[in-house]
Structures are given as structure tokens and as C-alpha cells.
Amino acid sequence: MSVLPIITAPDPRLKKKCQPVEQVDSQIVQLMDDMLETMYAAPGIGLAAPQVGVLKRVIVVDVGHDDQRDPRFFANPEVVWHSDDVASYEEGCLSLPENFSDVVRPAAIKLRYLDRDNTPQEMEADGLLATCIQHEIDHLEGILFVDHISALKRSMILRRLTKAKKAHRPLAKYATA
Ligand code: GNR
Ligand code: NI
């Protein structure tokens, strides 16, 4: 397994619609395992393939605790039902480092997907797991959490990230000022 570089905004690859996988073969399993290691190293609770430059419909999620990991792997995830109830969480994104905003989404979802063994599965999720899965599926459509907040907040965040890139200023864990 390897830790892959994570793409940060602004980057055209984060705005693209990703393609379904034909099947979860050994190459996709390798991608899933590398994504999981990359997510743990970051650290984060979810990661979508486009964040590591792969425009395929693959996500990994772990909302467990350090002492009790709960890795989950999804290919071609599809929300087939969502609650009318909504929930608000303060979201962050490894592709928008150091920026956080409250985002409102359906509180519960039902999902259809292929698991790491290429087996079709259905599952229901609520709480942080539901929020995280929806955040990751958004990435597969080229949507970031800032696309759910006010235009003013969005432009403030994107301006900060553009400036940081132009200055070649490292963000997140290697930032010194
Ligand atoms: O690590 C992450 N934390 C998080 C917190 C609240 C809602 C969503 C997330 S996902 C994020 C990692 C990430 O960028 N995944 O795409
Ligand atoms: Ni994200």
C-alpha cells in the first residue's frame, strides 16, 4: 500500500464527473487500499478517488475510532433513498485544507454499491457516516462542500486557497505560519 498525494483546490480534476468502474478488479482493490492508507495518514474520515487524481467512482470511509477502525469501501455508490429529515455538521475537506463550514444534508440515506469483493450491496446510514458518504459521493460529481454554502463564504475560502497556492505556501500539516 502507498500514501498518495492529495489534490487541493483550485484544481480542475476536483470539478469533473467521475466514471463508474466496470468491476472491482485487483487494480481497483489496490486503489481502494492506497486510498485508505492515504486517508489514515492525512488523517481524514473519508476520501474520494478524484482527490488522488483518479476520476473513477470509488470512495473509502472510516468513521470509527483509532482503537477500533471501521474501514468501508464503495465502488459506484448510489443514493437510492434519503430521509426528508436533515442534519447539519461542520464539514472539512482534505482538498480544502484548514477550512470548515456547517453543511445541511439528509440525515439518513440508503445506498447501493459494489463492495471490495465486487459484490453488490445495499446499506442504510445515518449520523456522521451518512454525512461523510454524501460528502464523498459529491466529490464523484465534481461537487465540494463549499458548493453547499453561501457564495460569500465559498469565495472567501477559495480565495484563501488560491493565494496559498500562488505563494507556494504549504497548507495543513507542514504550515509554519
Ligand atoms: O476528513 C474529513 N472529515 C469530514 C468531516 C465532516 C464531514 C465530511 C468529512 S470528509 C473529510 C475528508 C475528505 O475530504 N473527504 O473527501
Ligand atoms: Ni472532501
Side-chain angles (χ1 to χ4, degrees):
M1 294 210 282
S2 18
V3 173
L4 310 169
I6 295 177
I7 293 168
T8 57
D11 188 298
R13 290 169 289 182
L14 295 173
K15 311 220 64 159
K16 296 241 158 66
K17 185 178 166 79
C18 297
Q19 292 307 308
V21 303
E22 252 176 57
Q23 56 167 347
V24 181
D25 55 17
S26 62
Q27 191 199 331
I28 298 296
V29 168
Q30 170 84 57
L31 171 66
M32 286 172 160
D33 290 347
D34 286 347
M35 285 171 59
L36 193 74
E37 193 179 348
T38 302
M39 182 193 84
Y40 286 145
I45 59 170
L47 194 70
Q51 294 180 276
V52 294
V54 178
L55 299 183
K56 291 184 177 164
R57 303 187 78 82
V58 174
I59 68 177
V60 298
V61 171
D62 189 340
V63 296
H65 302 278
D66 282 346
D67 54 343
Q68 195 161 353
R69 283 185 172 180
D70 183 21
R72 295 166 189 263
F73 306 87
F74 306 88
N76 303 343
E78 254 184 283
V79 174
V80 295
W81 171 85
H82 67 77
S83 62
D84 293 332
D85 265 30
V86 294
S88 175
Y89 276 90
E90 186 176 57
E91 297 197 16
C93 182
L94 295 170
S95 296
L96 303 164
E98 298 174 7
N99 291 279
F100 303 89
S101 249
D102 287 331
V103 177
V104 175
R105 301 182 187 272
I109 55 172
K110 191 169 163 188
L111 202 66
R112 204 165 284 159
Y113 63 99
L114 295 174
D115 69 14
R116 194 172 169 283
D117 299 319
N118 196 46
T119 306
Q121 300 282 359
E122 279 194 3
M123 71 171 283
E124 286 188 29
D126 60 13
L128 183 58
L129 180 60
T131 289
C132 188
I133 290 171
Q134 291 175 83
H135 173 118
E136 302 314 334
I137 292 176
D138 270 357
H139 275 297
L140 307 181
E141 296 296 320
I143 295 168
L144 301 174
F145 84 75
V146 290
D147 296 317
H148 293 282
I149 65 180
S150 77
L152 180 62
K153 279 189 187 165
R154 176 166 60 248
S155 56
M156 277 169 44
I157 289 174
L158 292 175
R159 197 152 46 92
R160 264 204 300 270
L161 292 164
T162 302
K163 272 191 181 173
K165 259 196 186 177
K166 282 202 179 124
H168 299 289
R169 182 161 63 79
L171 278 160
K173 66 171 148 182
Y174 299 114
T176 52

